[in-house]
Amino acid sequence: MTDTAGSIGVPDFDDENVEQKKSSRAGRKFKNRGNLSRLALFCRQIVAELRKVVWPTRSQLSTYTTVVIVFVVIMIGLVTAIDYGFQVAAPFIFG
């Protein structure tokens, strides 16, 4: 770090004190609370985050569900075909 005179290695400000002040304030904030109030705060934060979620509409949800089901059916068919192919090929290779 450099200061206005261009000295290298001299910190512009004391990073350790700033971090210590932040952590002590945050620690004090939650040390005085009981377990029940911490749980209530946690639940309020969960509800606040869920309100930020952009929920899909019913038509979007049905479209997404259909795409997933079709993809799974295709993958099941592919794995079944490969498994049947190995089952038929195994006697020719090892038998």
PDB file of all heavy atoms in Angstrom, residues 6-7 25 30 33 57 76 88-89:
ATOM      1  N   GLY A   6       3.850   8.206  -1.398  1.00  0.00           N
ATOM      2  CA  GLY A   6       4.307   7.085  -2.200  1.00  0.00           C
ATOM      3  C   GLY A   6       5.137   6.080  -1.422  1.00  0.00           C
ATOM      4  O   GLY A   6       5.877   5.314  -2.002  1.00  0.00           O
ATOM      5  N   SER A   7       5.035   6.075  -0.095  1.00  0.00           N
ATOM      6  CA  SER A   7       5.786   5.110   0.703  1.00  0.00           C
ATOM      7  C   SER A   7       5.145   3.738   0.568  1.00  0.00           C
ATOM      8  O   SER A   7       3.945   3.569   0.767  1.00  0.00           O
ATOM      9  CB  SER A   7       5.780   5.524   2.181  1.00  0.00           C
ATOM     10  OG  SER A   7       6.338   6.795   2.316  1.00  0.00           O
ATOM     11  N   ARG A  25     -18.982  -5.410  17.017  1.00  0.00           N
ATOM     12  CA  ARG A  25     -20.358  -4.931  16.954  1.00  0.00           C
ATOM     13  C   ARG A  25     -21.304  -6.059  16.588  1.00  0.00           C
ATOM     14  O   ARG A  25     -22.371  -6.194  17.169  1.00  0.00           O
ATOM     15  CB  ARG A  25     -20.483  -3.801  15.936  1.00  0.00           C
ATOM     16  CG  ARG A  25     -20.136  -2.457  16.514  1.00  0.00           C
ATOM     17  CD  ARG A  25     -20.452  -1.385  15.525  1.00  0.00           C
ATOM     18  NE  ARG A  25     -19.242  -1.244  14.697  1.00  0.00           N
ATOM     19  CZ  ARG A  25     -19.184  -0.665  13.539  1.00  0.00           C
ATOM     20  NH1 ARG A  25     -20.255  -0.149  13.004  1.00  0.00           N
ATOM     21  NH2 ARG A  25     -18.056  -0.584  12.864  1.00  0.00           N
ATOM     22  N   PHE A  30     -25.623 -10.134  18.730  1.00  0.00           N
ATOM     23  CA  PHE A  30     -26.265 -11.430  18.896  1.00  0.00           C
ATOM     24  C   PHE A  30     -25.976 -12.081  20.240  1.00  0.00           C
ATOM     25  O   PHE A  30     -26.662 -13.005  20.628  1.00  0.00           O
ATOM     26  CB  PHE A  30     -25.848 -12.375  17.764  1.00  0.00           C
ATOM     27  CG  PHE A  30     -26.374 -11.933  16.435  1.00  0.00           C
ATOM     28  CD1 PHE A  30     -25.542 -11.372  15.487  1.00  0.00           C
ATOM     29  CD2 PHE A  30     -27.715 -12.049  16.136  1.00  0.00           C
ATOM     30  CE1 PHE A  30     -26.026 -10.954  14.272  1.00  0.00           C
ATOM     31  CE2 PHE A  30     -28.219 -11.632  14.919  1.00  0.00           C
ATOM     32  CZ  PHE A  30     -27.370 -11.080  13.984  1.00  0.00           C
ATOM     33  N   ARG A  33     -28.963 -11.657  22.769  1.00  0.00           N
ATOM     34  CA  ARG A  33     -30.239 -12.274  22.437  1.00  0.00           C
ATOM     35  C   ARG A  33     -30.293 -13.702  22.959  1.00  0.00           C
ATOM     36  O   ARG A  33     -29.304 -14.421  22.970  1.00  0.00           O
ATOM     37  CB  ARG A  33     -30.451 -12.288  20.931  1.00  0.00           C
ATOM     38  CG  ARG A  33     -30.586 -10.909  20.365  1.00  0.00           C
ATOM     39  CD  ARG A  33     -30.851 -10.982  18.906  1.00  0.00           C
ATOM     40  NE  ARG A  33     -30.966  -9.637  18.370  1.00  0.00           N
ATOM     41  CZ  ARG A  33     -31.806  -9.300  17.432  1.00  0.00           C
ATOM     42  NH1 ARG A  33     -32.581 -10.208  16.900  1.00  0.00           N
ATOM     43  NH2 ARG A  33     -31.869  -8.070  17.005  1.00  0.00           N
ATOM     44  N   THR A  57     -45.199 -19.056 -12.871  1.00  0.00           N
ATOM     45  CA  THR A  57     -46.653 -19.128 -13.023  1.00  0.00           C
ATOM     46  C   THR A  57     -47.060 -20.589 -13.210  1.00  0.00           C
ATOM     47  O   THR A  57     -46.216 -21.473 -13.386  1.00  0.00           O
ATOM     48  CB  THR A  57     -47.113 -18.309 -14.237  1.00  0.00           C
ATOM     49  OG1 THR A  57     -46.533 -18.878 -15.412  1.00  0.00           O
ATOM     50  CG2 THR A  57     -46.704 -16.851 -14.111  1.00  0.00           C
ATOM     51  N   ILE A  76     -34.304 -42.848 -19.611  1.00  0.00           N
ATOM     52  CA  ILE A  76     -34.617 -44.231 -19.237  1.00  0.00           C
ATOM     53  C   ILE A  76     -34.565 -45.121 -20.487  1.00  0.00           C
ATOM     54  O   ILE A  76     -34.015 -46.234 -20.448  1.00  0.00           O
ATOM     55  CB  ILE A  76     -36.004 -44.314 -18.567  1.00  0.00           C
ATOM     56  CG1 ILE A  76     -35.936 -43.721 -17.158  1.00  0.00           C
ATOM     57  CG2 ILE A  76     -36.506 -45.749 -18.502  1.00  0.00           C
ATOM     58  CD1 ILE A  76     -37.283 -43.579 -16.477  1.00  0.00           C
ATOM     59  N   VAL A  88     -27.095 -58.470 -24.976  1.00  0.00           N
ATOM     60  CA  VAL A  88     -27.021 -59.275 -26.180  1.00  0.00           C
ATOM     61  C   VAL A  88     -25.555 -59.482 -26.598  1.00  0.00           C
ATOM     62  O   VAL A  88     -25.174 -60.559 -27.064  1.00  0.00           O
ATOM     63  CB  VAL A  88     -27.822 -58.592 -27.330  1.00  0.00           C
ATOM     64  CG1 VAL A  88     -27.567 -59.263 -28.666  1.00  0.00           C
ATOM     65  CG2 VAL A  88     -29.313 -58.602 -26.988  1.00  0.00           C
ATOM     66  N   ALA A  89     -24.705 -58.474 -26.432  1.00  0.00           N
ATOM     67  CA  ALA A  89     -23.314 -58.550 -26.878  1.00  0.00           C
ATOM     68  C   ALA A  89     -22.441 -59.375 -25.947  1.00  0.00           C
ATOM     69  O   ALA A  89     -21.425 -59.929 -26.380  1.00  0.00           O
ATOM     70  CB  ALA A  89     -22.733 -57.147 -27.005  1.00  0.00           C
TER      71      ALA A  89
END
